[in-house]
């Protein structure tokens, strides 16, 4: 089954830079479909963080950035802050499954 | 500011039909730029798109669930509903309503996303 693979967890000290990878395949990211990222703080609804691989919605700090290359995408958080502790999900479209697909999520811990 | 809120029973018996409602506030259902989607997350598993509906009633379903899913829209109440029939324990999940944006309309992109989410409602399937 074509799915998006993310690391279960990443951690960093305040002020550091962390990256979260999202690995897909030729039927989703590699097929040219955009990647979107969501942040879910504890006990809150998911929030759109990055859309269209690299774009930040209004109000999202520029500490968050996205990139895409080949069959993978990445989310980078620079200047990590305690408030960034959350689960992060990537999402794209899969043409083989004819459905929108999500990663399993990555928990970011601020040390 | 547009908000969405899910409502419905938290417990459904096996083989019965799960019914949920999503109420949209602070904005209109009437837009060709957006659809309204349902997404669920079973415990310990990934988010799963169930389907989306446009205000005119055009629906798009996940092929893996299509035979059991029915979505409808009530523009007078600004509500979108989800029905999932013949449920089993595997349908136990947090069910969320979300505004589904069209990538090409939003930024000339390819591959839609979801920009406004509800808090989600827990639905357990158990006798």
């Amino acid at each position: 089954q074509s799915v998006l693979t993310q690391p279960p967890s990443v951690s960093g000290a305040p002020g550091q830079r962390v990256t979260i990878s999202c690995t897909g395949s030729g039927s989703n990211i590699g097929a040219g479909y955009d990647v979107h990222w969501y942040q879910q703080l504890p006990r809150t609804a998911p929030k759109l963080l990055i859309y269209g691989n690299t774009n930040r919605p209004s109000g999202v700090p520029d500490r968050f950035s996205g990139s895409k290359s080949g069959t993978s995408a990445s989310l980078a958080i620079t200047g990590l802050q305690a408030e960034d502790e959350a689960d992060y999900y990537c999402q794209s479209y899969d043409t083989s499954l004819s459905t929108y697909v999500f990663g399993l999520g990555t928990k970011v811990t601020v040390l | 500011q547009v908000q969405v809120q899910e409502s419905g029973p938290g417990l459904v018996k096996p083989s019965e039909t799960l019914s949920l409602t999503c109420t949209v506030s602070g904005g209109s259902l009437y837009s060709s730029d957006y659809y309204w989607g349902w997404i669920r997350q079973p415990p310990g598993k990934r988010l799963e798109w169930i389907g989306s509906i446009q205000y005119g009633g055009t629906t798009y379903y996940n092929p893996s669930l299509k035979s059991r899913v029915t979505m409808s829209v009530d523009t007078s109440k600004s509500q979108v509903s989800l029905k999932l029939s013949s449920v089993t324990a595997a349908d136990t999940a947090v069910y969320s309503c979300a505004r589904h944006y069209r990538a090409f309309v939003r930024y000339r992109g390819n591959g839609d996303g979801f920009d406004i989410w509800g808090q989600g409602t827990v639905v357990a399937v158990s006798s």
Side-chain angles (χ1 to χ4, degrees):
Chain A
Q1 182 181 3
S2 299
V3 294
L4 303 181
T5 302
Q6 298 179 234
S9 63
V10 299
S11 61
Q16 285 190 329
R17 180 179 187 269
V18 297
T19 60
I20 301 170
S21 60
C22 176
T23 303
S25 67
S27 61
N28 41 66
I29 300 175
Y33 291 102
D34 293 335
V35 177
H36 315 285
W37 291 90
Y38 304 89
Q39 176 194 58
Q40 186 171 28
L41 298 169
R43 295 174 297 283
T44 68
K47 168 189 170 183
L48 179 65
L49 198 64
I50 297 287
Y51 68 92
N53 308 314
T54 61
N55 304 292
R56 284 186 307 276
S58 175
V60 173
D62 59 7
R63 303 185 291 103
F64 296 92
S65 63
S67 63
K68 173 188 167 184
S69 179
T71 59
S72 296
S74 291
L75 173 71
I77 310 173
T78 57
L80 194 63
Q81 298 182 7
E83 66 203 52
D84 299 332
E85 275 207 346
D87 293 323
Y88 294 82
Y89 299 90
C90 61
Q91 176 252 310
S92 186
Y93 181 81
D94 191 283
T95 189
S96 294
L97 298 173
S98 297
T99 186
Y100 301 95
V101 289
F102 292 84
L104 200 50
T106 297
K107 183 174 183 60
V108 170
T109 301
V110 181
L111 302 173
Chain B
Q1 183 173 349
V2 176
Q3 294 182 308
V4 297
Q5 178 68 55
E6 308 87 351
S7 59
L11 181 64
V12 182
K13 290 182 168 55
S15 79
E16 295 189 343
T17 296
L18 177 161
S19 296
L20 296 174
T21 298
C22 172
T23 301
V24 179
S25 60
S28 174
L29 282 178
Y30 294 96
S31 175
S32 58
D33 294 349
Y34 300 104
Y35 305 145
W36 302 93
W38 287 95
I39 295 157
R40 70 180 183 177
Q41 186 170 31
K45 296 188 176 182
R46 68 183 68 240
L47 292 157
E48 180 180 36
W49 174 71
I50 300 170
S52 297
I53 186 169
Q54 196 184 24
Y55 74 91
T58 302
T59 54
Y60 308 87
Y61 296 145
N62 185 327
S64 70
L65 297 169
K66 186 175 182 177
S67 64
R68 298 194 292 130
V69 173
T70 303
M71 294 179 63
S72 60
V73 61
D74 186 337
T75 53
S76 67
K77 295 181 179 179
S78 203
Q79 291 179 336
V80 174
S81 69
L82 167 70
K83 293 187 186 301
L84 181 66
S85 64
S86 305
V87 298
T88 68
D91 295 308
T92 293
V94 176
Y95 286 76
S96 298
C97 175
R99 190 172 75 171
H100 171 158
Y101 63 85
R102 299 173 61 195
F104 184 78
V105 172
R106 187 175 181 133
Y107 61 95
R108 293 295 186 266
N110 182 27
D112 303 345
F114 306 91
D115 63 352
I116 297 172
W117 295 61
Q119 290 277 15
T121 186
V122 177
V123 179
V125 178
S126 175
S127 55

